[in-house]
Amino acid sequence: MLLSAVALTLAGCATPQPPLVKLEKAGVLPLALDDDFSFGKRQITYLGPEQQDPTLSETAAFERRRLLWGAVDESERAERWGTYYSFFWKARRTADVTVRFEYRQPALGNYVMAMERTYPAARGTYRTDFQVTGDDFAEFGRVTAWRALLVVEGRVVALTQSFIWK
């Protein structure tokens, strides 16, 4: 019984990521926070060319090698430079949930970029990954501020954000 409950709980984390949708314009959504939806842990990893420090901790060095796995030349490594975000979230009731990631970059000023992933009939614990890499990173710079939203029926039901987000 306990084993099946654990397997059912972890099933949400094991599902593949839905397709990523980049938004041309991040529209403003109404705020309707709901205790049935929440963010938990978040993991943010920056990978850049200036990170050639031999004194990196073993964990940080492993994460760097993992992100660069398979990149055989300098141009392939440069395509992977940027920031990687993983958000862990929970839905305590079944709903169609869209996870929206909004961010700002120095070259764009106050313009807000956004990406979304949609989970139909979501219930349980999930992990959603976003990355700002490649041309977006090279052209517009590092992410300076970000926030992640859980959207249900066009309303923001949960959010987490960087301390500098306005």
Side-chain angles (χ1 to χ4, degrees), residues 93-104:
R93 66 177 167 86
T94 304
D96 294 340
V97 178
T98 299
V99 182
R100 179 188 281 189
F101 178 66
E102 299 177 348
Y103 59 98
R104 291 188 178 104

Side-chain angles (χ1 to χ4, degrees), residues 67-81:
L67 293 172
L68 289 173
W69 179 261
V72 294
D73 63 13
E74 193 57 37
S75 66
E76 288 180 355
R77 283 190 285 278
E79 277 294 311
R80 297 184 185 188
W81 292 340

Side-chain angles (χ1 to χ4, degrees), residues 87 100-103 145-149 159-162 165:
F87 297 100
R100 179 188 281 189
F101 178 66
E102 299 177 348
Y103 59 98
W146 58 265
R147 73 176 178 172
L149 313 167
L159 66 99
T160 185
Q161 63 191 28
S162 63
W165 184 266

Side-chain angles (χ1 to χ4, degrees), residues 8-72:
L8 193 58
T9 302
L10 294 177
C13 288
T15 59
Q17 295 280 316
L20 180 71
V21 176
K22 281 189 148 187
L23 302 177
E24 291 296 321
K25 183 170 167 71
V28 178
L29 298 171
L31 188 64
L33 297 179
D34 187 341
D35 289 336
D36 287 339
F37 302 92
S38 62
F39 277 100
K41 186 174 86 167
R42 62 184 179 230
Q43 178 181 348
I44 302 169
T45 305
Y46 172 72
L47 178 65
E50 67 276 2
Q51 252 188 335
Q52 303 297 334
D53 185 3
T55 62
L56 283 176
S57 71
E58 191 172 322
T59 305
F62 175 81
E63 184 67 10
R64 180 177 173 80
R65 285 191 306 272
R66 183 186 73 81
L67 293 172
L68 289 173
W69 179 261
V72 294

